[in-house]
Amino acid sequence: MPGGFLCYNYGMDLSKNVEELKGIGPKTAEILKKAGIKTLRDFFYNLPRDYENFAMPSSISQIQPGKVVIKGLISDLKSRRARKRNLSITEGVVRDNTGAVRVVWFNQSYRLRQFAPDREYYFTGVYELKNGRFQLTTPSAALASDVDFSGGFSPIYVAHGGLKSNDFKRLMNNSRDKFAEIPDLLPSAKKGERREALFDAHFPESAASVKKSREYLAYEELFELILAASLNRRENEKLKANPVAFKVEKIREFVGALPFKLTNAQRRAAWDIFQDMEKCTPMNRLLQGDVGSGKTMVAALAAYEAILAGGQVALLAPTAILASQHYENIGPLLGKFGVKTALLTGSTKRKPALKKQIESGEINLVIGTHALLTDDTEFSNLNLVVIDEQHRFGVEQRQKLVLKSPSGLAPHFLAMTATPIPRSLQLTVFGDLDVSILDELPAGRQPVKTQIITEIDAKEKLYPAMRQILQLKPDAKKHGEKARGQQIYWICKAIDETNSLLSNAGGSGSGETAKVGFSGGSEITSVKKRTRRLQEVFPEYKIEFLHGKMKPAEKDAVMERFSSGEIDILVSTTVVEVGVDVPNATLMVIENAESYGLAQLHQLRGRVGRGASAAYCYLLTSGDLQPSRRLKELEKSADGFYLAEVDLKMRGPGEIYGSLQHGALDLRIASLSDTKLIAKARKDAKDFLNSGEDMLQYKELMVGISKYQQLTTLN
Ligand code: ADP
Ligand code: MG
C-alpha cells in the first residue's frame, strides 16, 4: 500500500454481531435478526425510510386541512374497538398555547403508553374532516427535545417487531461515536467518505446533507452491483461447456411439425440461443417475454438442439403444476422426434427407477421443479438447463450444476421470465446475462380488456359479466374439453378466515368509516369465504379454491380439474400467477387489486387471454379512494415493458423484484432511473476491473459484492 503504515481497511470489523453495540442485548438482537439486521454492517446500513422536517411547526389555531406539523402536549388518551371490525382506535388531544386538536391512530394502541403528559412532542400527519369532525389522522410523533437537538430534521425508520422508529433512533444514538470506526469501501472514494455518508444519513443536519449522503450511498451500491455482475460474467467465461452444433435440417423439420407458425420473435430468440450453444463457454441467457409470448416453445427448440447433439436437458419450473403442464405440452411434440421425456416432481411415483434412467442417459429431457437442482438426481450428460419463471441464477448455483455433470463441463443455461426487465436494470443487476426478448404475441391474441370496478358495483356490473362468460361457448379444444362454458379465475389474498389481514391500502383514516361493502369492510376476504359467497351467487356452477398452503398433490388435482373444464370458477390466491395455461379461462377478477404491484397484476392478468376468445380482467377495489395511478395504468396499457418502467419509477426495484421476501436484490437507495449515476458507476467499475489492482485488498468491497454474486432467484 502506498503510505506504508496506512492500512486501507482500518477501523472495526463490520461483520461482527450487532450485540457488540451499546444498548443491544440478546433480546433486541433477536428482533433485529428477524428484521435481517445481524451484523454491524446491517445495522449501519439500516437507513431511514424517510425524514421528517419538524423545523417549522404551525400553531394549532392556524392549521389548514392537509399535511401539518404541530408541537404540543398530549392528553386524554384512550383506546376503543371499532364496531364490527377488528380495529382499535386510539385517540387523544394535542394542545399548544393557541388551541387543541384531536389526534387519531388505528391499530396503534401502544400510543396509549408512548407519551409523558408533561413533555412536548411534535406531531405530523394529515389534518382532515372525518365524520363531521376535524382530526389529525395517524400522525407520527417525536419527543420535542430529541428533535430540537437534531436541528428539526429527523429520520424515520421502518418499525420491526416491536421496535418502533424511535427505538431505532435511540439505538443509533447510542452508537453515535462508533461511526468514526467504519472502514472505507470504494477504491476511488475519499478517505472517510463512507462513514460521513452513513453518519449524515442517520444524523442529518439538513436536507442538503441527506442528499449528499444518499448520493454517495447510491453510487456505492451501484458500483458494487455492476462490479458483481461483471465478475459473474468473468466467472462464467472461465467455465467450459460442450459446444452444440446447429442442425438446421432437423430443426426445420421440428418447426414444420408444430401446430402453429413461430412468431418472428421466437425465431430470433431461438437463433440467439443456437449461436450461444455453439460456443465452448456456457450460454448464460435470459429469455424475456410477456405472458403468452410463447417462451416454452423456444425452450423446446433449445432442448431439441441440445438433445440432437447427444446431451441431456433439465427444464425446471417453479411449481409442480407448471412442470406437469410443460410435460404435457412439449413432451408429445418432442416425442414425435424420438426424444424421451420424464416428469420428476414431488408426487412422481417410481422415483428411484426414473432417477436411474436419468443417470444412465436413457431419458433425454427431465422436467421438474427447481428442487431438481439440489436433490440427488444425477445426469449422464447434462448439457442444457432451462429455468422457467426465474430471472437469474447465482454463480454458486451454476457451479452446482457443473457438479451434476460428470464430464466437469458446465451446462448451457437459459432463464425465462415474463417480468420485463427495464433497460436500466439490464445494465446493472443483469449485466452478466445476455438477453433475448419476445416482443410479439402469437397471431390472433387480443389484449385483455381491463376494467377497474368497485365492490359496490359488483352486483350490477360484475356478476352479469361473469354469467355471460360462463355461458359462452368453450374456447380451446385441448384444454377445457369438459367445459360447459368459458371459465373464470377469481384472485384473492388470504387463505382462511382466521388469518385474513386488515387491509391498510386505504391509507390515512380509511379504516374508520364503516363500509357497507360487498366484502364486509376492507377485510381481505379469504378464498374459502369467497368460494362460499360465489357459490350463493352462482349456485348452478362448480366453484373450487386453490391456495399455496395446499399439498402439492391437492393443488395439482384442483388445477387439473380446472384445466379440463370441470371447474367453472377457480377462486385462488396468487399461486396461479406463474405460467399455468388454461386457454378456456377468459375472465379474471382480482379482488383487493390495490394491494398488488403493477408487475404482479399484469402477470396475473396474463393468465387469461391465452386463447382466441376475447378476455377480460376486473380489478376490484374497495372504492374508498380514487383508483390509484397504478390501476389506471393497467387499465390503459397491455404493454408489460411500459408497465414495468412505470412500476420501477413508482415503487423502486426492491418491491418489484421481490427483495422483501428474499433479501436478494435490495437496492437501498440507488434509483435505477438515475442513468447518469449508473453510467458513471459502470465506467468506474470497468476501469477498476481493467486496472489490474488486487481486489482482495478492498475487504469491505468484497463483502459488498459477494452479496450480489450469490444473488439467485428474484421472483
Ligand atoms: P409464456 O411465454 O407465457 O410461457 P407459453 O409458452 O405458455 O407462454 O405459450 C402460451 C400459449 O401459446 C401456449 O398454449 C402455446 O402453445 C402457444 N403458442 C406458443 N407459440 C405460439 C405461436 N407461435 N403461435 C400460436 N400459439 C403459440
Ligand atoms: Mg411460461
Side-chain angles (χ1 to χ4, degrees):
M1 289 277 327
F5 62 90
L6 228 187
C7 172
Y8 187 85
N9 282 306
Y10 64 93
M12 66 174 124
D13 178 359
L14 290 181
S15 301
K16 283 193 175 154
N17 193 289
V18 279
E19 278 192 64
E20 296 278 313
L21 293 170
K22 238 190 298 178
I24 300 187
K27 230 173 101 192
T28 311
E30 194 51 39
I31 301 177
L32 290 174
K33 195 172 149 196
K34 286 213 182 93
I37 303 167
K38 295 175 200 146
T39 64
L40 299 182
R41 186 179 295 104
D42 300 333
F43 181 77
F44 290 121
Y45 276 92
N46 178 40
L47 301 171
R49 147 178 91 73
D50 201 353
Y51 298 88
E52 205 110 64
N53 195 346
F54 290 109
M56 303 265 273
S58 309
S59 304
I60 291 177
S61 64
Q62 303 281 307
I63 51 178
Q64 300 290 325
K67 182 146 185 165
V68 298
V69 183
I70 54 173
K71 180 180 179 182
L73 299 168
I74 183 163
S75 61
D76 304 294
L77 280 159
K78 55 178 186 279
S79 247
R80 63 186 161 87
R81 297 209 82 74
R83 254 170 299 139
K84 290 213 300 197
R85 312 265 316 277
N86 182 23
L87 186 73
S88 82
I89 298 173
T90 305
E91 51 180 53
V93 177
V94 177
R95 289 191 173 78
D96 66 9
N97 49 23
T98 69
V101 60
R102 193 167 78 103
V103 295
V104 176
W105 291 281
F106 303 105
N107 282 344
Q108 299 186 2
S109 44
Y110 67 90
R111 298 285 186 188
L112 285 177
R113 300 173 300 279
Q114 182 187 355
F115 303 102
D118 53 347
R119 303 186 74 172
E120 275 190 311
Y121 294 85
Y122 282 96
F123 296 87
T124 95
V126 177
Y127 182 59
E128 60 184 356
L129 188 63
K130 265 279 150 94
N131 302 334
R133 285 209 284 172
F134 275 102
Q135 66 180 38
L136 188 56
T137 311
T138 56
S140 58
L143 190 61
S145 55
D146 284 353
V147 173
D148 292 341
F149 169 75
S150 66
F153 209 68
S154 179
I156 309 169
Y157 294 90
V158 177
H160 287 293
L163 289 179
K164 305 279 173 253
S165 174
N166 280 329
D167 300 315
F168 279 99
K169 265 200 267 196
R170 185 173 41 75
L171 293 176
M172 256 326 142
N173 219 2
N174 291 343
S175 308
R176 212 180 159 93
D177 55 343
K178 286 284 181 202
F179 280 79
E181 294 170 47
I182 294 176
D184 286 323
L185 184 143
L186 287 176
S188 62
K190 287 195 294 289
K191 189 165 166 287
E193 207 173 347
R194 183 194 196 197
R195 66 179 125 96
E196 253 170 56
L198 285 169
F199 186 85
D200 285 346
H202 294 290
F203 305 101
E205 268 172 15
S206 62
S209 64
V210 169
K211 184 160 174 267
K212 187 161 165 267
S213 146
R214 293 184 78 83
E215 259 166 26
Y216 169 84
L217 292 169
Y219 174 77
E220 182 183 282
E221 193 165 38
L222 287 172
F223 184 86
E224 283 181 346
L225 204 60
I226 294 168
L227 190 63
S230 315
L231 287 171
N232 278 359
R233 186 180 270 275
R234 280 198 176 180
E235 287 295 315
N236 197 52
E237 281 164 1
K238 275 190 224 151
L239 296 172
K240 290 267 168 289
N242 229 335
V244 171
F246 180 34
K247 300 232 173 42
V248 64
E249 286 309 322
K250 292 272 187 194
I251 293 290
R252 214 171 256 156
E253 203 186 329
F254 176 75
V255 169
L258 290 175
F260 42 70
K261 241 179 104 218
L262 290 180
T263 64
N264 285 329
Q266 282 172 317
R267 285 171 192 277
R268 275 195 302 271
W271 177 241
D272 288 342
I273 291 167
F274 294 154
Q275 281 184 311
D276 280 359
M277 293 203 304
E278 277 183 317
K279 297 188 185 133
C280 301
T281 50
M283 164 168 77
N284 193 27
R285 185 168 287 276
L286 179 69
L287 175 62
Q288 186 186 309
D290 219 337
V291 280
S293 58
K295 294 183 289 291
T296 321
M297 202 40 64
V298 177
L301 282 165
Y304 187 43
E305 178 89 341
I307 291 163
L308 284 174
Q312 278 175 307
V313 179
L315 169 57
L316 311 181
T319 63
I321 298 175
L322 198 52
S324 46
Q325 187 160 11
H326 284 330
Y327 177 71
E328 277 157 31
N329 284 346
I330 63 179
L333 287 177
L334 287 164
K336 279 195 230 158
F337 295 88
V339 172
K340 285 214 179 61
T341 304
L343 178 68
L344 189 62
T345 64
S347 55
T348 303
K349 300 195 181 71
R350 294 182 45 245
K351 244 185 239 165
L354 203 56
K355 285 188 181 175
K356 273 220 179 72
Q357 287 179 296
I358 296 169
E359 196 178 343
S360 73
E362 204 181 319
I363 284 170
N364 311 112
L365 169 62
V366 185
I367 301 180
T369 58
H370 294 174
L372 250 182
L373 290 180
T374 42
D375 71 7
D376 57 357
T377 311
E378 303 263 356
F379 291 81
S380 108
N381 184 15
L382 183 61
N383 200 12
L384 170 67
V385 174
V386 184
I387 304 223
D388 195 15
E389 303 296 352
Q390 183 165 325
H391 294 97
R392 65 170 297 155
F393 211 52
V395 166
E396 247 176 71
Q397 259 76 5
R398 231 147 35 206
Q399 264 144 15
K400 276 205 188 110
L401 283 180
V402 178
L403 296 179
K404 286 222 177 247
S405 198
S407 59
L409 293 171
H412 295 285
F413 176 72
L414 178 68
M416 308 198 288
T417 177
T419 312
I421 294 163
R423 174 126 185 94
S424 49
L425 277 179
Q426 267 175 38
L427 293 177
T428 52
V429 192
F430 299 97
D432 54 336
L433 288 177
D434 299 308
V435 180
S436 299
I437 297 173
L438 297 183
D439 53 3
E440 186 185 352
L441 294 181
R445 293 282 166 78
Q446 313 172 33
V448 180
K449 293 192 190 87
T450 303
Q451 195 184 340
I452 301 169
I453 194 165
T454 63
E455 289 177 351
I456 326 263
D457 291 337
K459 215 170 179 171
E460 251 129 72
K461 296 191 181 147
L462 181 60
Y463 293 159
M466 289 171 68
R467 205 168 281 285
Q468 239 173 12
I469 287 294
L470 292 167
Q471 290 166 357
L472 277 181
K473 222 166 100 254
D475 176 272
K477 277 174 240 104
K478 182 172 171 298
H479 293 280
E481 68 258 45
K482 295 185 193 157
R484 292 181 279 179
Q486 298 191 2
Q487 294 159 279
I488 294 176
Y489 288 106
W490 184 296
I491 307 297
C492 39
K493 274 221 144 150
I495 297 167
D496 51 43
E497 278 90 323
T498 46
N499 68 2
S500 62
L501 311 158
L502 251 192
S503 156
N504 48 19
S508 61
S510 76
E512 207 191 17
T513 33
K515 271 171 298 179
V516 281
F518 140 98
S519 72
S522 65
E523 224 176 68
I524 293 178
T525 316
S526 69
V527 284
K528 289 182 189 166
K529 202 174 210 170
R530 176 56 65 213
T531 304
R532 283 203 298 275
R533 297 236 186 123
L534 284 173
Q535 198 67 76
E536 286 161 19
V537 182
F538 300 101
E540 68 275 40
Y541 288 101
K542 184 144 176 69
I543 308 178
E544 288 198 33
F545 62 80
L546 183 73
H547 61 71
K549 297 240 167 84
M550 284 159 71
K551 294 205 186 75
E554 282 179 301
K555 270 194 272 192
D556 287 352
V558 173
M559 211 51 229
E560 186 53 50
R561 286 201 293 282
F562 187 60
S563 184
S564 72
E566 267 176 68
I567 299 173
D568 299 297
I569 304 178
L570 181 65
V571 178
S572 172
T573 58
T574 55
V575 293
V576 298
E577 179 182 348
V578 280
V580 187
D581 198 13
V582 183
N584 190 46
T586 54
L587 187 150
M588 174 178 279
V589 180
I590 305 176
E591 200 171 335
N592 285 105
E594 318 93 333
S595 62
Y596 299 92
L598 195 44
Q600 196 179 11
L601 287 168
H602 180 63
Q603 177 98 3
L604 276 168
R605 173 172 72 172
R607 294 302 105 216
V608 294
R610 300 173 78 82
S613 295
Y616 305 87
C617 174
Y618 292 92
L619 305 168
L620 206 52
T621 70
S622 58
D624 274 8
L625 300 163
Q626 285 293 315
S628 62
R629 183 171 151 219
R630 267 209 322 254
L631 297 189
K632 285 200 193 127
E633 293 284 0
L634 201 73
E635 214 175 23
K636 276 199 314 238
S637 173
D639 178 349
F641 252 94
Y642 167 77
L643 293 170
E645 293 283 358
V646 171
D647 212 15
L648 188 64
K649 285 210 186 89
M650 291 197 293
R651 299 194 309 151
E655 281 196 44
I656 303 175
Y657 295 101
S659 77
L660 295 177
Q661 281 161 26
H662 299 283
L665 171 60
D666 189 5
L667 288 185
R668 288 173 300 248
I669 24 211
S671 157
L672 288 165
S673 43
D674 190 346
T675 43
K676 257 199 190 139
L677 199 63
I678 289 173
K680 181 170 163 26
R682 244 164 90 82
K683 181 178 180 305
D684 293 352
K686 199 166 153 211
D687 289 350
F688 177 62
L689 269 173
N690 292 337
S691 72
E693 259 198 280
D694 175 16
M695 261 183 242
L696 295 179
Q697 66 180 308
Y698 300 105
K699 204 171 133 227
E700 280 294 300
L701 179 62
M702 289 301 108
V703 176
I705 63 174
S706 68
K707 177 175 82 198
Y708 297 118
Q709 283 196 288
Q710 280 153 22
L711 198 82
T712 53
T713 326
L714 291 182
N715 55 354

